[in-house]
Amino acid sequence: MEKLTRRASVLVVVSLLVSVLCLPEPGFAQRGTEIVEIDPRSQSQPFPHYWEHMFGSGRAILSMRESYRRDLRDVKAATGFEYIRFHAIFNDEVGIYDEDGQGNPIYNFSYVDQIYDGLLENGIRPYVEMSFMPSKLAAAQTFQAFWYKPIVSPPKDWNRWSDLVSHFAQHLVDRYGIDEVSQWYFEVWNEPNLDFWAGDPKEQTYYQLYDDAATALKKVNPRLRVGGPATAQAAWVDRFIRHCVDNHIPVDFVSTHVYGNDSAKDVFGTEEAIPRTQMVCRAAQKVHDQVKASSLPDLPIIWSEYNASYKNEPDVTDSVFMAPWLADTIRQCDGLADSLSYWTFSDVFEEQGVIKKSFYGGFGLMAEYGVPKPSFNAFKLLHRLGDRRIPTDSSSALITKRPDGSFAVALWNLYLPEEEHGEPKNVTVVMKGSLGRHRVLISRVDSTHGSVQAAYDEMGQPAYPTRDQIAALRLAANLPPPEKKSLQHGQITITIPPQGLALLELR
């Protein structure tokens, strides 16, 4: 019995020693934790905020609404964006084109002026998508399926199409001055490879549409910037450049679109399964390589539409999934595009008709009644990244340096919406060579930070929230103040929930 007691005592001592020896030392991360190192001596590279240069929106006439302009101001304050793109500046509802009793053109720029004045007064320049065909200029009354029924027919008279573009551009130069308008972009049409263009054959008749418009613009003033083909699914870019070069047609940039749920067959002509976490930047790589291999390798590349989905999917575009998806898309596409324009900044939007409920999977950063979505808050956090990028081996981190010498680090835990069993992730950020104390501010977007979903569910998901409910939703959408922490032994460990995004600011 005494031997057994002595043996048990020895085992307890040994067990305690093992426990002590296995305790993590200060300065070392816990096992299973991802390590993200910041080396201040690493060679950094420029990191222009190409993802917040421009945003898309519905159609031109919506920009005259106060709800649209309120959302515009909120997104401008959060991101500092500079350009806006929308459809249908030539639609009948804008009133730009008519004909008299003898069939002679009549131009009216009253609403055009109100639209562009409103943008400029809010510090936003137009990215002018020249579409769609005025009814009296159309060869046929061929409508696309949108609720507002845009006419997608070629013109009945190609010279009158050129004259419309000429009068439009000349009016803008006369009103705003060439020094201003030369800073705008003019894009010819929208997605002519889909049902937004009824020319036959599509590609060849689109080139005629582009050629006449580009030539007309340059005759007004050669400083005006023009580009295309504004295709869906990253299509036609290489052939479009070749067409312009071979036929001496002016082109100042190329533009195209892609969505995270586009199919590999449509974008690449393959049967592979590409997840929505990779599709946008796989397409960006494709177009980047096409431009670099062309006769105009330095043409700016503008993705004038992109998003995680082209459908109305509430568990995608209204959800916290968008926060890590945006961060990861920005990481992957860095260096492959000059501008990545998120579609759209606001759910003041009517392609499918009048909104039937507040959260329906709309494309906007702002839901109906000006309620910010998690995507808005993600852009707000990512705006605080620096303008120099420091390399990292992590595929779920962006390390940046600001002009004042501070660091901003984005970390995320990306799971697809259909992956229901995501796990929290521990991440330890290590500042190499750190001896002193560094203050750290931590901001988050996840299911409990900057998301209205819980508050909306608690209300019973009302289709038409009351004023008090709208105020409560806006309050729930606000980002809380950053957590204030400090580096201990040159490091800090945080936990990121599934579909979460965190921004660490180290000063």
Side-chain angles (χ1 to χ4, degrees), residues 108-178:
N108 183 342
F109 299 106
S110 176
Y111 278 2
V112 169
D113 293 347
Q114 292 180 53
I115 287 166
Y116 291 147
D117 285 357
L119 299 182
L120 295 169
E121 286 165 5
N122 283 289
I124 304 295
R125 289 193 167 104
Y127 177 100
V128 182
E129 177 202 302
M130 293 189 291
S131 67
F132 290 101
M133 199 61 65
S135 61
K136 291 188 178 179
L137 185 54
Q141 300 301 296
T142 306
F143 301 98
Q144 199 270 347
F146 282 170
W147 179 73
Y148 61 89
K149 294 293 184 286
I151 296 176
V152 295
S153 164
K156 65 183 181 184
D157 183 322
W158 288 95
N159 289 328
R160 289 200 179 186
W161 164 251
S162 296
D163 288 346
L164 168 61
V165 174
S166 295
H167 281 83
F168 174 64
Q170 188 62 61
H171 173 80
L172 297 176
V173 171
D174 292 343
R175 182 173 180 82
Y176 302 108
I178 188 57

Side-chain angles (χ1 to χ4, degrees), residues 73-87:
R73 289 189 289 269
D74 286 346
V75 176
K76 172 73 173 179
T79 66
F81 82 104
E82 302 172 58
Y83 290 90
I84 197 78
R85 174 184 181 264
F86 43 66
H87 304 314

Side-chain angles (χ1 to χ4, degrees), residues 137-348:
L137 185 54
Q141 300 301 296
T142 306
F143 301 98
Q144 199 270 347
F146 282 170
W147 179 73
Y148 61 89
K149 294 293 184 286
I151 296 176
V152 295
S153 164
K156 65 183 181 184
D157 183 322
W158 288 95
N159 289 328
R160 289 200 179 186
W161 164 251
S162 296
D163 288 346
L164 168 61
V165 174
S166 295
H167 281 83
F168 174 64
Q170 188 62 61
H171 173 80
L172 297 176
V173 171
D174 292 343
R175 182 173 180 82
Y176 302 108
I178 188 57
D179 288 342
E180 171 60 36
V181 183
S182 65
Q183 298 180 73
W184 301 9
Y185 294 84
F186 291 83
E187 179 185 58
V188 181
W189 217 251
N190 174 70
E191 298 188 350
N193 58 320
L194 299 186
D195 59 350
F196 293 94
W197 178 241
D200 186 23
K202 277 185 179 290
E203 191 168 351
Q204 287 66 35
T205 54
Y206 171 75
Y207 290 156
Q208 184 175 1
L209 186 82
Y210 177 86
D211 295 355
D212 288 354
T215 302
L217 282 167
K218 292 295 185 177
K219 284 182 179 178
V220 170
N221 196 295
R223 293 171 62 188
L224 298 178
R225 296 187 289 197
V226 64
T231 41
Q233 302 160 348
W236 298 4
V237 170
D238 50 351
R239 299 197 299 270
F240 170 75
I241 295 172
R242 195 177 311 123
H243 165 82
C244 292
V245 171
D246 291 348
N247 294 280
H248 308 289
I249 303 299
V251 58
D252 299 299
F253 61 91
V254 292
S255 64
T256 189
H257 307 161
V258 71
Y259 286 81
N261 59 336
D262 276 329
S263 72
K265 185 174 183 179
D266 287 335
V267 179
F268 300 102
T270 66
E271 298 296 332
E272 60 190 307
I274 301 176
R276 73 171 86 226
T277 52
Q278 297 176 21
M279 175 57 76
V280 170
C281 296
R282 286 273 300 270
Q285 185 72 62
K286 167 191 165 179
V287 171
H288 174 270
D289 292 348
Q290 288 178 339
V291 172
K292 291 304 177 187
S294 76
S295 300
L296 300 173
D298 297 323
L299 271 183
I301 301 170
I302 298 176
W303 290 87
S304 52
E305 285 186 29
Y306 86 102
N307 201 314
S309 177
Y310 61 79
K311 300 177 181 178
N312 294 139
E313 297 183 87
D315 62 343
V316 177
T317 48
D318 290 344
S319 76
V320 293
F321 163 76
M322 292 304 298
W325 184 86
L326 284 163
D328 197 50
T329 299
I330 290 164
R331 176 190 67 85
Q332 293 183 71
C333 293
D334 181 27
L336 300 179
D338 294 273
S339 185
L340 202 60
S341 178
Y342 186 81
W343 186 262
T344 60
F345 85 90
S346 172
D347 277 354
V348 179

